[in-house]
Every structure is written in C-alpha cells, then in structure tokens.
C-alpha cells in the first residue's frame, strides 16, 4: 500500500468516526429521521472532500481536532446534496454508494428532511466548535461555507443543471454550471481546511483557490467520463445516466478522448498552482492525482 493510500484510509476512518459521533444517535427521537441521516452519511463514499480539508490543513499545520469537525461538516453538506439530487423531483435515482437511495430506503418526506437536517447540523458544528484562533476568521469560514451551498454555489449549479436537460449548451456554459454545482463545495473544502491552521498570506490563499478550482472541474470531467465508461458495480450508482437523461456533459460535448486530455490538463494546472508550496502540499498533489486517475 502506498503512503498516500494509507493516509487516505486513515483520513476516511477519522472522518467516519467523527461523523458517527457528531450525528444524532438513531435511538434519539425522531428515530426514523436520525436513521436516515446516518444511513446516507456513514459507511460510504470516497471522502474526497474530507481528504481535501485534511490535505489543506496539513499545509497550515492545523490540528486534527479542528480538521475532523470541518471535514465532517463538509461531508454532511455533501451527503445532503446527494440525498436531494437523488429525489424523484431531481435526478430520480435508486442507487447511491452501492445501496438504495435515501427516499427508496425510507420515503420521500424523510429523505427531504434528512437533507435539510444535515445542512443545519453542518452549520451548527461550524459555529459551535472552535475551528480558528481568530473569531473573525471562523466567521469568514462560515460565510464561505454558506456561499458554497447557495444559489451562487451548489444549489445554483443544480438549478442550471436541471434547466439544461435536453438542451444544447456551450462548453463555457457547462463549465460555469459545474464550477457551481460540483466545484463550489470542493473549493470550500480546501479553503476551510487551510483556515483551520496558521494564517496564510492572501497570495497563498489565491494559489490554493486556483488549485481547488482546477481540481473541482477535473473531478466533474472525470465523473462524466466514469458515467460513460464505468459500471454500476464499480461506481455504486447508476451508470450511463447522463446520456439516458440527455444531459450535456464533457464527454457529450468534447468526446471521450478530448475529455480525458482536458482532465490531464486540469491536473497539470492544479499542480502548477501549488508548485510554490513545497513539501507541505504533498497531500494536495496526491489528492489531485487521485481525483483524475480514480476508477469510481
Ligand atoms: C445541497 C446546497 C445543496 C443543494 C441541493 C441537489 C443539489 C441541490 C445539488 C446537487 C449537487 C450534486 C449532487 C453535485 C454532483 C457532484 C458529484 C459528482 C457528486 C458525487 O460525488 P462523489 O463521487 O460521491 O465524491 P461519493 O459517494 O464518493 O461521496
């Protein structure tokens, strides 16, 4: 096992136990809602966003105690977006992380509420725990986090996505949609992790943000490639859905070969953005490489 594989497993274990501890127990009422929140958040997923929180936190020597709370909050928002994305009124999917989606396992109303409650809990944690030395920095982190999920972030990207079904859109329009839908939370993960530790000068934060933007887009380009080339057993979710739903994707607009070339180009750009950081950014480099070369 490579050093990165060992680190990523350790990071996934850390965030899993933080989530298990921070999510309300199933025995606490309302049990069905708490069950649904735990069902959709625990025991699955690649934990890429948690890795980015920890990777950026390594650069600023942030404490594990802070990073695990920030990573858990990010993974809760991510789980929330997946629950809502799978609902009949959105992508209407039945398989997620190799098991029935939340509304299939529970029911639509419970799935809707589980997503809502996960979002609230994420913000509660970000404001309850001390995540930065300076209260102003922590407030800025919460603002960043809120913007990433809002109408000019993930929710806005989803609105554009739903509107684009069956339509011919241009590459710049596709890029804009994904920068919001997938990229916003990935960018927030990197900056939140960094803010948990020592203060960086604005120029370093700008380099990190450039890295995160490239990695966020690369994540989506590879997601489109995997949707085209992968199978449900490996992906843990329905494959070939974008084409079946007439969704514009990088592969439908560029073709497979060009999409793969674009993903490699984004990887190179992400690495260039953090070239000046030296050893401290090793994990961030490895995560970028993992995102582009992953198989699920
Ligand atoms: C949650 C603010 C908010 C709004 C709801 C549903 C929705 C609006 C937004 C959808 C966001 C979404 C589903 C983006 C897709 C991003 C994506 C490719 C998700 C899959 O991420 P992986 O592969 O999943 O990291 P795992 O299961 O590995 O965690």
């Amino acid at each position: 096992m490579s050093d990165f594989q060992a680190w990523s497993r350790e990071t996934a274990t850390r965030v899993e136990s933080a989530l298990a501890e921070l999510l309300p127990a199933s025995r606490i009422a309302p049990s069905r809602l708490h069950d649904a929140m735990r069902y959709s958040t625990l025991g699955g997923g690649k934990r890429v966003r948690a890795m980015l929180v920890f990777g950026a936190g390594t650069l600023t020597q942030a404490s594990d105690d802070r990073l695990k709370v920030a990573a858990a909050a990010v993974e809760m928002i991510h789980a929330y977006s997946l629950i809502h994305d799978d609902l009949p009124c959105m992508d209407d999917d039945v398989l997620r992380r190799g098991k029935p989606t939340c509304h299939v396992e529970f029911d639509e109303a419970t799935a809707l509420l589980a997503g809502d409650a996960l979002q609230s809990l994420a913000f509660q944690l970000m404001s309850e725990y001390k995540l930065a030395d300076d209260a102003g920095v922590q407030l800025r982190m919460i603002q960043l986090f809120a913007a990433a999920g809002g109408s000019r972030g993930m929710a806005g990207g989803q609105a554009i996505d739903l509107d684009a079904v069956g339509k011919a859109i241009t590459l710049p329009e596709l890029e804009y949609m994904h920068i919001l839908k997938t990229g916003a939370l990935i960018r927030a993960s990197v900056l939140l992790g960094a803010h948990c530790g020592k203060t960086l000068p604005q120029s370093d934060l700008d380099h990190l943000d450039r890295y995160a933007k490239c990695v966020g887009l690369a994540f989506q380009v590879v997601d489109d490639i995997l949707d085209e080339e992968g199978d449900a057993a490996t992906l843990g979710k329905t494959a070939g859905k974008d084409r079946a739903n007439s969704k514009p994707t990088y592969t439908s607009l560029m073709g497979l070969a060009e999409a793969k070339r674009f993903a490699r180009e984004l990887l190179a750009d992400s690495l260039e953005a953090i070239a000046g950081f030296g050893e401290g950014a090793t994990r961030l480099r490895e995560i970028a490489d993992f995102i582009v070369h992953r198989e699920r």
Side-chain angles (χ1 to χ4, degrees):
M1 193 193 297
S2 73
D3 181 50
F4 173 69
Q5 277 171 329
W7 178 82
S8 57
R9 279 189 194 185
E10 195 186 308
T11 302
T13 307
R14 268 190 201 142
V15 75
E16 184 75 17
S17 56
L19 285 166
E21 197 182 304
L22 295 166
L23 284 162
S26 299
R27 67 184 148 70
I28 297 172
S31 288
R32 188 173 169 79
L33 178 60
H34 292 154
D35 255 346
M37 291 164 74
R38 298 182 77 87
Y39 174 84
S40 293
T41 313
L42 297 174
K46 295 178 289 296
R47 305 298 191 205
V48 166
R49 293 151 193 83
M51 276 193 242
L52 287 165
V53 171
F54 273 88
T58 306
L59 183 69
T60 59
Q61 290 121 48
S63 76
D64 277 4
D65 282 351
R66 286 181 184 179
L67 293 174
K68 70 181 188 193
V69 174
V74 166
E75 287 289 336
M76 283 180 195
I77 294 284
H78 174 53
Y80 151 46
S81 79
L82 298 181
I83 295 172
H84 282 198
D85 189 49
D86 290 332
L87 284 170
C89 62
M90 299 233 190
D91 268 8
D92 192 10
D93 216 329
V94 294
L95 186 68
R96 173 70 69 183
R97 294 177 169 173
K99 56 187 191 180
T101 47
C102 190
H103 66 277
V104 171
E105 182 71 15
F106 294 85
D107 55 78
E108 263 182 69
T110 304
L112 192 73
L113 291 171
D116 293 342
L118 281 167
Q119 171 165 232
S120 291
L121 181 55
F123 280 95
Q124 191 183 332
L125 297 173
M126 291 288 298
S127 47
E128 244 174 42
Y129 285 79
K130 184 174 162 70
L131 298 179
D133 293 333
D134 182 83
V137 171
Q138 185 152 348
L139 185 59
R140 174 81 195 106
M141 288 164 75
I142 296 167
Q143 286 167 342
L144 235 160
F145 198 43
S151 62
R152 284 184 292 166
M154 204 158 53
Q158 180 79 346
I160 300 172
D161 187 345
L162 292 170
D163 196 47
V165 173
K167 289 188 185 154
I169 63 168
T170 63
L171 264 180
E173 284 167 339
L174 185 72
E175 180 169 317
Y176 178 64
M177 170 175 103
H178 287 309
I179 284 176
L180 300 187
K181 183 181 153 181
T182 313
L185 190 60
I186 288 185
R187 282 168 87 176
S189 306
V190 172
L191 293 177
L192 288 179
H195 282 308
C196 284
K198 292 194 177 129
T199 310
L200 289 178
Q202 189 55 47
S203 58
D204 282 356
L205 288 172
D206 292 344
H207 282 117
L208 265 186
D209 193 41
R210 168 95 195 124
Y211 159 88
K213 200 174 163 188
C214 295
V215 155
L217 202 52
F219 185 93
Q220 187 58 50
V221 177
V222 174
D223 198 70
D224 288 356
I225 295 169
L226 292 173
D227 183 72
E228 188 83 24
E229 285 194 321
D231 55 80
T234 314
L235 298 177
K237 60 181 179 182
T238 314
K241 253 200 111 204
D242 296 334
R243 185 188 288 272
N245 290 347
S246 306
K247 274 201 173 183
T249 63
Y250 280 98
T251 52
S252 69
L253 263 75
M254 288 181 155
L256 254 179
E258 185 56 18
K260 286 181 183 176
R261 193 207 54 75
F262 186 42
R264 288 194 299 273
E265 182 184 313
L266 288 166
L267 171 61
D269 290 350
S270 73
L271 297 179
E272 197 195 313
I274 53 170
F277 285 138
E279 284 288 295
T282 299
R283 294 301 180 210
L284 290 177
R285 292 186 191 97
E286 291 168 333
I287 300 167
D289 192 69
F290 167 76
I291 284 173
V292 170
H293 294 111
R294 73 192 200 271
E295 286 173 359
R296 69 181 182 102

